Amino acid sequence: MMRFAPAILSVAVTLGAAFAYFWFLRVPAIRNHPALYLAGFALGAAIAAVAVWRSARWPNIAALALSVALLVLGAYFNFVFARLPAAGAVLKVGEAAPDFTLRDATGAAVSLASFRDQRPVVLVFYRGYW
């Protein structure tokens, strides 16, 4: 059992990083920094790689496969799938904004076209609570 201790540690670190990320998902410092749990996956993969290098037995190989799979999937999710969309066209100073409709604080639909040629418009986005 002691010869598989690094494999067990690797799985514990990898799964611990995943569970900790989801457990603290409501904390902005954790949610906005996915590199923290990816570092946990990478640490788990490194521990498993050392275990495989020392003894290429199936528990060590399985721990390495799990850690690498979660590292690849986590990196794909955060750096490919969950990326922000490309920015739209950039307006020049003095150029008219395209028309759009949004909901105001009371939930009523308000269109930018309803304010054209009446007065200057200041648009403020606020994040609110999560």
Side-chain angles (χ1 to χ4, degrees):
M1 188 65 158
M2 269 319 266
R3 63 182 169 186
F4 299 126
I8 294 169
L9 177 63
S10 168
V11 170
V13 167
T14 301
L15 294 179
F19 287 126
Y21 181 74
F22 288 115
W23 184 266
F24 293 109
L25 199 56
R26 298 186 135 234
V27 178
I30 301 296
R31 179 185 61 242
N32 297 338
H33 296 93
L36 295 174
Y37 82 89
L38 290 177
F41 291 168
L43 178 62
I47 293 169
V50 169
V52 168
W53 179 67
R54 295 175 85 200
S55 173
R57 305 242 187 232
W58 73 266
N60 296 338
I61 295 170
L64 179 61
L66 174 71
S67 299
V68 169
L70 286 177
L71 177 62
V72 169
L73 289 173
Y76 176 79
F77 176 76
N78 283 297
F79 300 117
V80 177
F81 183 71
R83 282 184 28 184
L84 292 176
V90 177
L91 298 176
K92 294 184 169 98
V93 175
E95 190 176 353
D99 189 33
F100 57 88
T101 303
L102 297 173
R103 303 235 174 245
D104 66 4
T106 64
V110 178
S111 175
L112 180 63
S114 64
F115 293 102
R116 293 237 192 251
D117 300 326
Q118 292 181 8
R119 56 186 174 243
V121 176
V122 176
L123 183 63
V124 177
F125 291 100
Y126 62 92
R127 187 172 178 166
Y129 289 101
W130 283 82

